Amino acid sequence: MSDHDTPAEAQPLPLDEWHRARGARMVPFAGYAMPVQYTGPGGGIVAEHEWTRSHAGLFDVSHMGQLLLSGERAEAALEALLPIDLRTLEPGAPRYSLLLDEDAGIIDDLIVARWEDGFFIVVNGATKHGDIAHFEERLPAGATLRHLEDRALLALQGPAAFAVLDRHATGATPLSTLSFMRGAHFTLAGTAAWISRTGYTGEDGFEISIPSAKAASIAELLCSEPEVHPIGLGARDSLRLEAGLPLYGHDLDRTTDPVSAGLGWAIARRRRAEGGFPGHAPIARLVEQGPAWRRVGLSFDGRLPAREGAPLFAGDAEVGRVTSGGFSPTLGRPIAMAYVDAAHAAPGTPLTAEVRGRRLEAAVTPLPFVPHRYHRQGASR
């Protein structure tokens, strides 16, 4: 939330007028004018957060980049750039991956899904143009990257998300066949949509890729359901923080690596053994020797949160820095994510954070802060 651009640089999203008509307070974020929260009954960051936890929230994440990599050499080209095992990527099974540099610095985190005509890739909004340039500079002949600029992306998140979307989505198989990290093509109110059971709130929910021209009618349809409210960026950030999910530009960047960030699971077993992707050698060393820093959760007493950049201390020794922090509406206390030196990363380790000249007592806490409620395969619906 700190990487806001100046208002003059902010581009409108396809739903710009729709948000403003519903009382959204718009802020520049990742180069776009985006709703941070809504005014009126049910509006405000805490109310929107709690509504998503108990009902369903509709988030506009159309600032994110939607890409399609296709061609006879697309699969080999993608494996040369990501530590993913595409041999095990089944159609309809989106997978989290990382775009890395040669030093194992994280250029971006992203989602890849296999479509019939190529690989559908969703990248962060603030980094998408750099990602596209990175891909294009390295793609061989026979692999073509297309930026799907004419598509919008909505996220319907919360315990009522399935019930709402199931009333409107039709496809070759029922929506109930999608478990967490599964996706398929559906028709939604007459519009072709790629729907995946993914999201970044820790709740069960779906991400819906549709043509931009249909975004307003689909958003209106979903928000006409009594369980759904539009939700802004503020609640999206507090939800993902409670879920312990790192945010690129805050908890992840080119100075962080997958092992220190606790994302070693995103590097496929075969790729760890075979290599052939940027950053393989330094990652192998980090796995063998252990990282010097680790991403951890922090719990605080009191009401004052420690925000991004707050230094952390063990006694008088500075041992880390907060990368995301805020007040948890669900837990009723401040929480944060941080990088600390490995000697102070064990759960229960007492630390202090310096905020406005005060030292706040904290303790290292396992992530997530609030248990995930994803709909796993085999769970009853």
Side-chain angles (χ1 to χ4, degrees):
M1 296 294 291
S2 66
D3 51 346
H4 291 175
D5 301 319
T6 60
E9 296 171 327
Q11 302 175 48
L13 294 171
L15 283 176
D16 189 87
E17 291 184 11
W18 188 89
H19 292 305
R20 294 178 191 275
R22 280 149 190 82
R25 186 163 72 83
M26 307 296 282
V27 299
F29 179 81
Y32 293 88
M34 297 188 66
V36 67
Q37 66 182 82
Y38 293 82
T39 58
I45 292 174
V46 172
E48 292 170 24
H49 179 112
E50 292 175 342
W51 183 269
T52 304
R53 286 272 186 242
S54 59
H55 297 80
L58 185 72
F59 301 78
D60 182 2
V61 288
S62 300
H63 65 301
M64 301 186 76
Q66 300 183 67
L67 316 175
L68 184 65
L69 179 64
S70 59
E72 60 183 12
R73 298 184 66 186
E75 182 159 336
L78 197 56
E79 277 215 338
L81 292 172
L82 304 179
I84 194 171
D85 185 354
L86 292 176
R87 297 178 191 173
T88 63
L89 184 67
E90 301 173 3
R95 189 170 298 171
Y96 181 86
S97 192
L98 298 163
L99 192 61
L100 302 170
D101 63 25
E102 295 294 342
D103 297 322
I106 301 174
I107 298 171
D108 201 2
D109 61 342
L110 47 83
I111 295 286
V112 179
R114 187 189 292 274
W115 282 8
E116 288 184 358
D117 53 347
F119 294 95
F120 177 61
I121 305 169
V122 179
V123 301
N124 281 294
T127 57
K128 63 184 176 186
H129 295 297
D131 292 353
I132 291 169
H134 183 89
F135 276 114
E136 290 181 336
E137 288 169 6
R138 292 161 177 80
L139 290 177
T144 302
L145 188 72
R146 187 157 65 93
H147 184 189
L148 306 178
E149 296 181 87
D150 58 347
R151 297 190 72 84
L153 191 65
L154 304 177
L156 185 65
Q157 302 281 294
F162 171 80
V164 170
L165 197 57
D166 194 44
R167 295 172 199 148
H168 303 286
T170 58
T173 58
L175 188 69
S176 59
T177 60
L178 297 188
S179 55
F180 180 59
M181 295 303 285
R182 302 292 298 188
H185 293 281
F186 287 85
T187 298
L188 183 58
T191 298
W194 165 257
I195 297 177
S196 58
R197 205 155 189 168
T198 54
Y200 223 60
T201 63
E203 290 291 333
D204 181 25
F206 302 85
E207 291 180 311
I208 306 162
S209 173
I210 48 177
S212 297
K214 298 292 186 180
S217 61
I218 297 295
E220 190 62 32
L221 173 73
L222 296 174
C223 285
S224 68
E225 298 288 355
E227 301 99 325
V228 182
H229 284 179
I231 307 296
L233 280 174
R236 182 169 180 262
D237 195 53
S238 56
L239 288 158
R240 72 92 195 164
L241 179 58
E242 287 184 348
L245 300 172
L247 182 63
Y248 195 84
H250 300 260
D251 313 291
L252 307 176
D253 59 30
R254 293 186 80 145
T255 70
T256 60
D257 64 84
V259 182
S260 304
L263 300 175
W265 54 266
I267 302 169
R269 181 178 301 178
R270 176 176 68 82
R271 305 304 308 283
R272 285 192 189 200
E274 297 180 1
F277 61 88
H280 175 253
I283 287 172
R285 285 195 297 273
L286 285 165
V287 170
E288 181 180 353
Q289 300 170 5
W293 300 87
R294 291 188 182 276
R295 181 172 63 93
V296 300
L298 295 173
S299 292
F300 294 82
D301 296 327
R303 308 284 292 180
L304 183 63
R307 303 291 186 182
E308 180 179 0
L312 296 167
F313 297 87
D316 292 330
E318 186 171 338
V319 298
R321 194 162 290 266
V322 171
T323 50
S324 290
F327 193 83
S328 164
T330 302
L331 301 176
R333 55 182 166 78
I335 57 175
M337 287 193 286
Y339 282 88
V340 299
D341 71 56
H344 295 88
T349 302
L351 300 173
T352 58
E354 187 172 285
V355 177
R356 301 176 194 169
R358 295 174 54 187
R359 289 290 184 94
L360 306 180
E361 301 288 335
V364 175
T365 304
L367 297 172
F369 298 101
V370 174
H372 297 161
R373 298 201 291 186
Y374 303 138
H375 181 70
R376 304 285 184 182
Q377 190 170 15
S380 61
R381 170 51 68 188

